[in-house]
Amino acid sequence: MRTPFPFSAIVGQDEMKLALLIAAVDPRVGGVMVFGDRGTGKSTAVRALAALLPPIAAARAGYQIADAPPPKGKVPVPFVDLPLGATEDRVVGALDLEAALGRGEKRFEPGLLARANGGFLYIDEINLLEDHIVDLLLDVAASGENLVEREGLSVRHAARFVLIGSGNPEEGELRPQLLDRFGLSVEVRTPKGIPERVEILKRCDAFERDPAGFTEHWGASEKKTLKRIAKGRDLVGAIEVPDAVLTRAALLCSTVGADGLRGELTLMRAARALAALEGNKIVEATHLDRVAPMALRHRLRRNPLDDSGSNARIERALAELAA
């Protein structure tokens, strides 16, 4: 198995890394959509985070046969890369034709959703994926279950995973109602600073020449990041969100014109996960403000009279609340 690039060694892209850490602390945030240029480390960051996380119980990962005893031991956190050309049967699972034709048995052949259980499901260029597949993925990600009914076969199995999508808006936009289903949305761009670009080249070259040595060099930073995630997971369920912060979330969503209540819910969950990640026991307004762009930028209607963009609208709304 190829050695993954260390998460802590990724240069820049701070918003993307923070969104992924928040999702790792609390998957209920609802997944992450990453928009940006090609070759900016999107899939590298997700693979790195999955590899960084501690192994999970085998009984929590993948597809479990209903009548079989749960497997023992631990396995790496699953990371499943869903290809654009995947059929619906490959995604959700189907009847095992070999068993059906050869032995007359109705046996379920797990799909990619089953393999992703307990881990991450990554879809590059999700804006080019067929709409009905995206609808299916979002429904399963929200419910945590996958129901398959094929050729007289009916199977329901756990499918709890963090959905990560990425795409380049120039190659096709994602429908607004689908974007709204993602918890967080982040933007990544090709670094413009020469020192930053040089540092990326150095680290990529060092990793390619000696993956083991490079990984060992970043071992202490990886352990520190892992400790933050583990501590955050322990804290997040008990963290208090004061009414003043909830009111601020509602006012912010109302001011920017976010439709529905998903914005408020995501703001609350993401701010709580951020507070847990930083070891706080109470969510503060600063936590809310820091996650606001990620939680809201993809939920705003386009205003033909305001071409300043979602980020500017959110920043103005935050400034008004602070006044």
Side-chain angles (χ1 to χ4, degrees):
M1 184 179 294
R2 188 178 66 177
T3 302
F5 194 88
F7 185 81
S8 306
I10 296 173
V11 178
Q13 310 300 9
D14 293 335
E15 187 183 55
M16 175 176 67
K17 290 188 290 186
L18 180 59
L20 293 175
L21 289 173
I22 287 173
V25 168
D26 187 0
R28 293 175 301 174
V29 166
V32 182
M33 181 65 208
V34 185
F35 284 115
D37 305 327
R38 292 177 178 272
T40 47
K42 299 187 291 290
S43 62
T44 297
V46 183
R47 289 180 187 275
L49 181 61
L52 169 65
L53 297 175
I56 61 175
R60 290 178 51 204
Y63 172 70
Q64 309 302 328
I65 299 174
D67 298 329
K72 298 180 180 179
K74 292 183 177 293
V75 297
V77 172
F79 175 89
V80 175
D81 196 341
L82 191 151
L84 282 179
T87 63
E88 185 172 336
D89 282 352
R90 186 180 178 193
V91 173
V92 303
L95 180 68
D96 186 334
L97 291 179
E98 183 178 343
L101 297 176
R103 299 183 296 276
E105 299 176 2
K106 284 188 177 181
R107 180 181 299 176
F108 177 62
E109 182 176 353
L112 297 177
L113 297 181
R115 288 175 48 199
N117 186 43
F120 293 83
L121 181 64
Y122 177 73
I123 311 166
D124 193 16
E125 297 182 331
I126 191 173
N127 45 331
L128 302 182
L129 199 63
E130 293 184 26
D131 287 345
H132 77 281
I133 297 289
V134 177
D135 285 330
L136 185 154
L137 292 170
L138 291 169
D139 287 341
V140 172
S143 67
E145 285 189 333
N146 179 37
L147 174 62
V148 184
E149 295 180 321
R150 294 282 194 281
E151 296 85 19
L153 185 75
S154 181
V155 176
R156 185 187 299 272
H157 68 81
R160 298 180 180 89
F161 50 81
V162 177
L163 181 63
I164 309 294
S166 70
N168 187 339
E170 296 178 358
E171 298 176 355
E173 294 187 355
L174 208 60
R175 287 179 291 148
Q177 60 268 39
L178 295 183
L179 264 179
D180 182 62
R181 298 280 294 279
F182 278 92
L184 305 177
S185 171
V186 299
E187 299 175 351
V188 294
R189 292 289 179 264
T190 302
K192 295 183 178 180
I194 298 302
E196 188 175 10
R197 295 173 78 121
V198 169
E199 184 62 27
I200 292 172
L201 291 174
K202 286 182 177 179
R203 294 187 188 183
C204 288
D205 182 56
F207 177 72
E208 289 174 358
R209 287 188 289 111
D210 182 11
F214 186 83
T215 301
E216 182 179 358
H217 174 76
W218 285 92
S221 296
E222 292 286 83
K223 289 180 180 178
K224 184 178 179 180
T225 301
L226 179 56
K227 187 176 180 180
R228 288 179 65 204
I229 295 172
K231 184 177 180 181
R233 287 177 169 179
D234 290 340
L235 286 175
V236 70
I239 288 182
E240 178 186 348
V241 186
D243 285 351
V245 174
L246 295 177
T247 301
R248 186 178 182 84
L251 285 171
L252 178 58
C253 290
S254 176
T255 301
V256 299
D259 291 331
L261 293 176
R262 282 201 181 99
E264 280 98 325
L265 289 170
T266 303
L267 270 175
M268 178 186 68
R269 291 167 180 160
R272 186 163 51 200
L274 176 59
L277 195 61
E278 298 188 341
N280 296 93
K281 295 183 179 180
I282 298 177
V283 175
E284 299 176 357
T286 53
H287 297 125
L288 190 81
D289 294 356
R290 285 169 60 191
V291 301
M294 295 186 285
L296 297 179
R297 63 162 59 97
H298 56 304
R299 305 180 197 278
L300 306 189
R301 292 181 180 179
R302 290 181 178 176
N303 186 346
L305 302 178
D306 185 355
D307 60 357
S308 57
S310 298
N311 289 341
R313 289 165 62 187
I314 294 170
E315 289 173 4
R316 285 202 304 267
L318 289 172
E320 289 175 12
L321 293 178

